[in-house]
Amino acid sequence: MRILVLGSGAREHAILLALRSEQTDHVLFAAPGNAGIARDATVVALEPDDPAAVTEFANAERIDLVVIGPEAPLIAGVADTLRDHGIPVFGPSKAAAALEGSKAFAKRIMDAAGVPTGRAVRAHTLDEAAGAIDEFGAPHVVKADGLAAGKGVIVTNDRAAALAHAAAYLPGGPVLVEEFLAGPEVSLFFLSDGDFVLPLSPAQDFKRLGDGDLGPNTGGMGAYSPLPWLTERFGGEDAFVDLVTREVAQPVIRQLDAEGTPFIGLLYAGLILTEQGVKVIEFNARFGDPETQVVLPRLVDPLSELLLAAASGHLEELPRPAFADAVAVTVVVASEGYPAAPIVGRAVTGLDAAASVSGVHIAHAATAERNGELIATGGRVLSVVGLGTTFAEARDRVYRAVDEIALEGSQHRTDIAAGVIER
Ligand code: AMP
Ligand code: GLY
């Protein structure tokens, strides 16, 4: 297949590595890609958010499938234009992608579909926000409605800070005040063809910058998959996945279809396992980063067939994707100053030594080549992935590899998947 992947992060590199690992002769393109992606695909200078440019390229290169990594091209309507031109695309329309971009839209769809989620109030004034903050009590959760790249959410015990957050976002439109949901967080991905869903294997993401879940929220500092502790609670991973498929993913996809906004692509369910059951805290309309880096290396079935079946409405004909028993742990190496003000342009070395550790590979998140040297070009620079038969082994491998990497001032967490009890 001739496949174009849009995006430039470790998620896109993980998608390309999974396609590359299939024993077929795919021709892979990436736009805009990064220095690591350039080793596994032909990188093209193409504006990924420009529907006409992407469509023109796909036609000229006879692309069989376009896979959209990040949210921005979805919001720009790239999937809509490709679909209008009959080009198979894995990624929802602009209207369906509002499931991620508009928390109010997501809440309405969940209500209509009967999907369990926390209570929420859409506040248009500071008085309304204060009323809801007091009604729900601490910890307080206040969210901007719309794109804020993870920065739009505050979870705090400080009422004044919650109010200040609401006040900061209110000029831009209503804010969402939510009931705090207590419990472990799980990311579960579903492939959707607009009508039918197939689940992937669950993962857990570490969103805070520092060890012990301290410090600011980030795009994600690490992840692991599978989640052996689901067995104790649900009798097994499959039972958990079945439950979420039945009660969350399938109803949401059916509701979107019924409303004339079919969702074709990756439905990312962000879940909290509360004492009262599994509840949704958010949906994303794309693969998660860094969860993708630990889910896809465990996928046994060819990714290209799954994505193409979703893009062309044939998912129901496929069996549920199978996953290896191997466990995967990824640790993100980030630039100094991330997430507030990452320092970019510094040299990154030691990747060959890192990648030579048994069971380790590296997905590039933000790298470029300058005068033959690899440099960091963003906040999250690398996603180092370790595979193993146990978490102890995968962790040992990934951290040995991280220790080989040199980037002045870099940051990483040392507790990714620490304390996971083996099956
Ligand atoms: P979001 O942007 O909605 O994904 O929120 C970012 C993070 O804030 C989530 O991954 C959770 O860790 C936390 N969070 C968001 N909403 C809630 C909630 N209602 N209860 C508890 N934690 C939440
Ligand atoms: N890992 C969180 C996200 O991709 O949104």
Side-chain angles (χ1 to χ4, degrees):
M1 258 192 257
R2 298 172 66 81
I3 305 173
L4 169 65
V5 175
L6 298 182
S8 63
R11 163 185 51 208
E12 288 74 24
H13 199 182
I15 291 168
L16 287 157
L17 287 168
L19 295 169
R20 205 18 104 232
S21 74
E22 296 176 21
Q23 297 306 312
T24 54
D25 50 1
H26 294 316
V27 179
L28 303 178
F29 298 91
N34 60 40
I37 287 173
R39 292 173 203 164
D40 295 295
T42 301
V43 164
V44 285
L46 177 64
E47 173 51 60
D49 301 348
D50 181 340
V54 173
T55 303
E56 194 185 322
F57 177 85
N59 274 326
E61 287 292 336
R62 305 178 322 281
I63 296 295
D64 301 303
L65 174 67
V66 179
V67 182
I68 301 182
E71 188 187 11
L74 303 172
I75 301 301
V78 171
D80 304 66
T81 305
L82 287 166
R83 227 164 254 133
D84 286 346
H85 286 79
I87 299 162
V89 50
F90 185 81
S93 67
K94 179 180 177 166
L99 198 64
E100 171 168 355
S102 165
K103 297 196 187 276
F105 178 72
K107 283 281 180 196
R108 191 182 64 65
I109 294 291
M110 282 190 270
D111 282 349
V115 166
T117 181
R119 289 179 299 155
V121 167
R122 207 157 171 245
H124 295 80
T125 65
L126 206 52
D127 273 357
E128 278 176 29
I133 284 168
D134 293 334
E135 184 195 331
F136 293 145
H140 309 294
V141 181
V142 180
K143 302 183 177 183
D145 189 26
L147 288 182
K151 294 193 194 103
V153 182
I154 193 172
V155 181
T156 178
N157 281 312
D158 180 350
R159 183 178 181 275
L163 268 179
H165 191 78
Y169 282 99
L170 270 169
V175 296
L176 227 55
V177 179
E178 284 189 11
E179 166 191 19
F180 177 78
L181 299 176
E185 224 171 309
V186 173
S187 304
L188 186 54
F189 301 161
F190 297 87
L191 308 166
S192 171
D193 66 6
D195 176 45
F196 186 78
V197 300
L198 282 178
L200 301 184
S201 181
Q204 192 168 53
D205 174 20
F206 292 73
K207 288 199 165 76
R208 300 293 188 126
L209 180 68
D211 283 358
D213 291 329
L214 297 176
N217 257 316
T218 70
M221 294 299 290
Y224 67 94
S225 175
L227 311 179
W229 45 269
L230 285 173
T231 299
E232 190 186 321
R233 190 142 168 182
F234 295 90
E237 176 176 316
D238 282 354
F240 169 78
V241 169
D242 286 343
L243 174 87
V244 181
T245 306
R246 197 172 60 239
E247 294 191 356
V248 175
Q250 198 59 73
V252 161
I253 293 301
R254 291 270 147 80
Q255 183 64 31
L256 286 165
D257 193 33
E259 296 196 9
T261 46
F263 186 104
I264 299 163
L266 197 288
L267 176 68
Y268 167 139
L271 307 162
I272 294 198
L273 314 189
T274 75
E275 295 290 337
Q276 291 76 41
V278 178
K279 295 191 179 178
V280 175
I281 43 161
E282 63 162 344
F283 287 119
N284 293 316
R286 47 163 181 86
F287 279 101
D289 188 342
E291 295 97 318
T292 301
Q293 290 91 291
V294 288
V295 171
L296 293 187
R298 300 184 48 241
L299 176 66
V300 173
D301 303 285
L303 179 64
S304 62
E305 286 175 23
L306 290 165
L307 300 183
L308 185 65
S312 45
H314 298 298
L315 266 191
E316 202 160 2
E317 295 158 22
L318 297 184
R320 184 198 271 199
F323 286 85
D325 285 335
V327 308
V329 176
T330 189
V331 174
V332 169
V333 176
S335 293
E336 179 177 355
Y338 177 75
I343 297 172
V344 300
R346 287 180 175 163
V348 194
T349 58
L351 268 73
D352 289 341
S356 72
V357 175
S358 169
V360 167
H361 67 269
I362 299 172
H364 287 230
T367 57
E369 215 149 307
R370 196 180 57 190
N371 305 328
E373 202 180 51
L374 194 70
I375 58 159
T377 57
R380 292 189 292 175
V381 179
L382 301 168
S383 184
V384 184
V385 183
L387 300 171
T389 51
T390 64
F391 280 98
E393 184 178 55
R395 274 176 49 79
D396 175 64
R397 288 171 165 181
V398 76
Y399 278 113
R400 266 197 286 143
V402 167
D403 284 344
E404 296 286 349
I405 294 167
L407 164 63
E408 187 193 340
S410 74
Q411 323 177 59
H412 68 266
R413 280 184 66 158
T414 66
D415 62 348
I416 304 301
V420 177
I421 314 270
E422 311 283 353
R423 267 186 287 205

